[in-house]
């Protein structure tokens, strides 16, 4: 199938005392053999975390992990000695490499946090772990890539672009030969022919889709990866 819509209400959902999470792909207790990832994209989670809670120290290896903060404040600590507070409009990239230990907690004791967590499979296993952060620009921008053309440096031949279309505009997403594209709607509402797309929806693409016609201001992440 050249276009597969991941509806926001069809995502997996997990509820803990301190967090609610929605999973576009299999993760944790949510297992769907048809949703084990797409191209280099393995995890795409939307998490809401209560004040003062979060993910205790745990290990990762051989994965590029990005966290985008939509609301609240997240404190990141890792075995590289990094301690960083992330605020809305910031994104971090932790390349786990041969191994890293980290924690992510809501740094506020009053406000909930809302984040998007992304895992991408690198081209090669191993290598030294690393950490980067970025304040998102006000307009469209390439935020991460594997070829050195973006501020955040991925370990695969992938590109992540932030698009921020305005109400009444049209977005054309091109899928080049040999590539796969995933689009995640962060904010706003658009129509793609007869389909209504809203925040939390995703488009899994192996060919160029119909244009998106925006009916409000919006934001979306566009992942361009080897097929």
């Amino acid at each position: 199938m050249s276009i597969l819509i991941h509806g926001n209400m069809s995502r997996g959902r997990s509820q803990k005392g301190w967090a609610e999470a929605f999973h576009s792909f299999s993760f944790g207790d949510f297992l769907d053999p048809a949703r084990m990832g797409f191209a280099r994209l393995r995890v795409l989670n939307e998490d809401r975390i209560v004040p003062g809670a979060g993910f205790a120290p745990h290990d990762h290896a051989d994965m590029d992990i990005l966290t985008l903060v939509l609301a609240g404040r997240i404190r990141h600590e890792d075995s590289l000695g990094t301690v960083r507070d992330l605020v809305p409009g910031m994104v971090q990239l932790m390349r786990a490499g041969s191994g890293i230990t980290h924690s992510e907690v809501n740094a506020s004791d009053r406000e909930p946090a809302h984040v998007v967590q992304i895992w991408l499979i690198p081209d090669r296993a191993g290598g030294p772990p690393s950490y980067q952060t970025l304040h998102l620009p006000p307009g469209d921008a390439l935020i991460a890539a594997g070829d050195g053309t973006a501020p955040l440096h991925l370990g695969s031949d992938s590109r992540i672009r932030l698009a921020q279309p305005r109400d009444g505009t049209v977005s054309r997403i091109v899928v080049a030969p040999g590539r796969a594209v995933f689009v995640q709607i962060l904010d706003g509402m658009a129509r793609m022919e007869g389909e209504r797309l809203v925040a939390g929806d995703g488009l899994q693409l192996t060919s160029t889709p119909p244009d998106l016609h925006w009916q409000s201001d919006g934001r979306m992440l566009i992942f361009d990866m080897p097929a």
Side-chain angles (χ1 to χ4, degrees), residues 17-211:
W18 54 272
E20 179 182 39
F22 291 91
H23 315 295
S24 295
F25 302 106
S26 294
F27 187 87
D29 294 333
F30 170 60
L31 178 61
D32 183 344
R35 293 191 181 192
M36 297 305 297
F38 176 62
R40 287 286 191 264
L41 186 55
R42 176 59 189 87
V43 168
L44 182 55
N45 291 345
E46 183 179 356
D47 300 331
R48 287 178 170 84
I49 305 168
V50 303
F55 300 94
H58 58 284
D59 300 330
H60 289 285
D62 300 327
M63 196 68 67
D64 290 352
I65 300 174
L66 297 101
T67 303
L68 168 61
V69 180
L70 300 178
R73 187 159 53 98
I74 291 292
R75 179 162 297 145
H76 167 96
E77 298 187 37
D78 64 41
S79 52
L80 299 176
T82 309
V83 180
R84 183 70 54 87
D85 278 8
L86 307 170
V87 297
M90 287 186 71
V91 59
Q92 70 177 13
L93 168 61
M94 184 182 71
R95 293 184 59 185
S98 58
I100 192 169
T101 302
H102 81 125
S103 63
E104 308 281 347
V105 300
N106 185 338
S108 171
D109 58 3
R110 296 186 302 274
E111 300 295 330
H114 183 193
V115 304
V116 175
Q117 187 179 119
I118 299 150
W119 296 12
L120 292 170
I121 302 169
D123 288 343
R124 290 177 293 276
S130 63
Y131 180 83
Q132 293 180 277
T133 61
L134 173 68
H135 288 270
L136 294 176
D140 296 357
L142 181 67
I143 61 174
D147 59 3
T149 58
L152 301 178
H153 304 144
L154 298 173
S156 66
D157 178 23
S158 302
R159 296 186 290 273
I160 304 175
R161 183 174 296 277
L162 172 70
Q164 304 193 71
R166 303 301 300 270
D167 183 12
T169 62
V170 176
S171 297
R172 180 163 177 77
I173 298 163
V174 176
V175 182
R179 306 292 289 183
V181 171
F182 195 93
V183 178
Q184 184 70 16
I185 308 294
L186 299 177
D187 295 301
M189 182 175 70
R191 288 198 176 272
M192 184 184 67
E193 291 189 332
E195 296 289 345
R196 178 175 176 267
L197 302 172
V198 296
D201 289 344
L203 296 175
Q204 182 173 309
L205 307 170
T206 53
S207 65
T208 297
D211 294 345

